[in-house]
Amino acid sequence: MSIKRFFSALLFFLFSYSAYSQTQPTNFAAKFEYDLKLSVDANKRAAYLKKNNEQPSAYEKVFTVLTGTVQVANIVDDVKFTQNSYQITSIGNLIAGLSTALGGQRLVRESIGTISASGLLSSVYQEKRGNTDLLISRYEPPKKSITFFKASFRNPINSTTLEGQLIDLVNVGYQFIGRPLPTKPITYQVSDARSVKRYTLIPAEVWEFPIDGKKIKATRFYKTTSKEDTNTFEIWFSEGKNFPIRSVIGLSEQYGATIQVDLKKLPNL
């Protein structure tokens, strides 16, 4: 397990969907601010390293001093819809202490694509996690092809055939703004700029969250797991506006960590 992969997994986060008669609102623009909290099971991680005869990375030594659930980063998503297209820029900054310890690294992601009756369709998704290389995926539906790049579009890594609709790790949280939430399980093809995975989300119970002095009701969705994909994923969408209120990712035993992202306040619209 490399240092880059461990750090990327700890910063991996956030926020998946189906066709309805309604479409997303046009000329929508808002900023969504989130707190990212992390809990680390140091014993589980140590057991995994021992079993695989691996040594902990420098990043792990920073995170293993954490006890309980601790805020480690702030995230701001700049979301813009026009009539037929969208752009979402997401920037995650570590809080002061961790930023100093890890050299001011941050997570920068961007999703660009089109808006259809079935939601936000990803054309280009790119992300840069800390000191790792910029990774990009570009989907061209007419060619039924998705290509992955490293550093720039001049450096393709691989490509594969892909039919249907594609979303990504940034636009998943904003699929239902202006559209009703699904009431049945839904499956999506999701790009993480490295590969495409299939996520099936299942609607569950309604929770209440205190935000801006109000009690906001939100419906929980959770991802199915398998032997090949043991990571858990949950996301809550607010009633009415269908904003992403909370998301939780439970990383597998090799990381022993849980990431929770909470909306700090309702955006000004």
Side-chain angles (χ1 to χ4, degrees), residues 86-100:
Y86 76 90
Q87 179 175 356
I88 304 171
T89 302
S90 178
I91 298 178
N93 290 297
L94 295 169
I95 61 174
L98 288 176
S99 179
T100 300

Side-chain angles (χ1 to χ4, degrees), residues 5 48 61 127 156 206 210 219 228 231 249:
R5 286 184 62 192
Y48 178 86
K61 293 176 182 178
E127 66 175 42
V206 175
T219 301
E228 295 73 27
N231 293 344
I249 294 174

Side-chain angles (χ1 to χ4, degrees), residues 245-258:
I245 298 296
R246 169 179 289 175
S247 62
V248 177
I249 294 174
L251 300 178
S252 59
E253 66 169 1
Q254 69 187 68
Y255 300 113
T258 299

Side-chain angles (χ1 to χ4, degrees), residues 111-154:
S111 175
I112 299 173
T114 59
I115 301 176
S116 74
S118 58
L120 309 181
L121 307 181
S122 179
S123 299
V124 175
Y125 172 65
Q126 56 185 354
E127 66 175 42
K128 191 174 190 308
R129 302 182 181 192
N131 292 332
T132 62
D133 291 318
L134 173 68
L135 299 177
I136 310 169
S137 65
R138 182 172 64 194
Y139 181 42
E140 300 176 87
K143 297 181 180 180
K144 298 181 180 179
S145 174
I146 183 169
T147 304
F148 300 94
F149 304 82
K150 180 181 289 187
S152 75
F153 287 115
R154 296 189 298 273

Side-chain angles (χ1 to χ4, degrees), residues 192-267:
D192 62 1
R194 297 163 182 77
S195 62
V196 175
K197 297 180 174 62
R198 294 183 70 83
Y199 282 12
T200 297
L201 293 182
I202 300 174
E205 72 282 357
V206 175
W207 290 35
E208 271 193 350
F209 294 88
I211 301 178
D212 288 344
K214 303 175 183 177
K215 291 183 178 180
I216 306 298
K217 291 185 177 181
T219 301
R220 182 175 75 96
F221 285 74
Y222 64 92
K223 180 179 77 68
T224 57
T225 59
S226 65
K227 291 182 179 180
E228 295 73 27
D229 180 13
T230 59
N231 293 344
T232 61
F233 174 68
E234 300 171 271
I235 184 168
W236 285 256
F237 293 99
S238 67
E239 289 188 351
K241 297 292 188 180
N242 300 339
F243 294 153
I245 298 296
R246 169 179 289 175
S247 62
V248 177
I249 294 174
L251 300 178
S252 59
E253 66 169 1
Q254 69 187 68
Y255 300 113
T258 299
I259 296 171
Q260 178 174 311
V261 181
D262 288 303
L263 186 67
K264 295 171 63 175
K265 60 182 179 181
L266 297 173

Side-chain angles (χ1 to χ4, degrees), residues 21 33 50 63 74 78 81-82 86 103 122 125 135-136 140 151 163-164 169 181 189-190 203 210 219 228 236 258:
S21 60
E33 300 180 28
K50 183 178 181 180
F63 286 109
N74 301 303
D78 190 357
F81 295 173
T82 60
Y86 76 90
S122 179
Y125 172 65
L135 299 177
I136 310 169
E140 300 176 87
E163 295 189 41
L169 294 179
L181 293 175
Q189 301 179 103
V190 185
T219 301
E228 295 73 27
W236 285 256
T258 299

Side-chain angles (χ1 to χ4, degrees), residues 4 20 22 40 62 67 99 104 166 169 211 213 244 258-259:
K4 288 183 179 180
Y20 294 91
Q22 297 184 14
V40 178
V62 174
T67 57
S99 179
L166 180 73
L169 294 179
I211 301 178
T258 299
I259 296 171

